[in-house]
Amino acid sequence: MKKRLGAVLLAVAAVFTFVPVASAQGHAELTNIRTGKHDGFERIVLDMNGLPSNHQSRETGSVVNCGSGNPVPVQGNEILESVFHYAASYDENFDPTYTGPRNFSPVGLTNVKTIAFTCDFEATLGIAVGYDDPDSWHKVFTLTNPDRVVIDVYSR
């Protein structure tokens, strides 16, 4: 019994010793946020150096800051939150690569009311988009040359 317990403890210790830890190095860097109005949709473009490894997007009723848990104010009747992994607004030396606003109302858009950071911690970047039209749908995708993340919010 003691031998088996020792083997299990050794295996557990080995797993926790050799599991790689994600670092902020090698992440995509946000450099700018642009917006535009098009026929049938409004576009948010996150200009980046590199691309996030992956992302998740969800419709939600409210958002909170990933570090503090405090509510993030977002105008609009609906909220789309997208979280990008291995992405940040700083470089590997923790110098800012994006120095623009972190919670703002984009100029010239009618459906999208707010763009707000929900996370910028340990190479995880969260962006919430508040919009008014409850019949809207969205598409989040990446493009290259130059690298960028695109968030399209469509309206009927």
Side-chain angles (χ1 to χ4, degrees), residues 41-155:
F41 68 98
E42 295 177 348
R43 176 168 283 179
I44 298 105
V45 177
L46 309 176
D47 292 322
M48 307 194 90
N49 292 329
L51 291 174
S53 63
N54 61 52
H55 74 275
Q56 290 90 32
S57 295
R58 69 185 180 115
E59 301 274 340
T60 184
S62 62
V63 289
V64 298
N65 180 278
C66 70
S68 68
N70 292 331
V72 175
V74 176
Q75 295 177 3
N77 296 319
E78 307 288 331
I79 301 172
L80 169 67
E81 183 180 32
S82 297
V83 177
F84 305 97
H85 300 281
Y86 294 103
S89 68
Y90 52 84
D91 64 19
E92 67 276 355
N93 296 316
F94 300 99
D95 293 323
T97 57
Y98 173 77
T99 57
R102 293 179 171 263
N103 190 325
F104 64 98
S105 297
V107 175
L109 302 186
T110 55
N111 188 22
V112 172
K113 300 300 181 190
T114 305
I115 299 168
F117 281 54
T118 59
C119 192
D120 192 9
F121 182 68
E122 294 186 349
T124 300
L125 181 65
I127 302 290
V129 176
Y131 58 93
D132 270 347
D133 184 355
D135 292 326
S136 292
W137 67 99
H138 66 273
K139 183 176 176 184
V140 181
F141 57 99
T142 59
L143 294 171
T144 57
N145 295 323
D147 293 334
R148 59 208 183 273
V149 173
V150 177
I151 303 169
D152 286 343
V153 179
Y154 294 86
S155 299

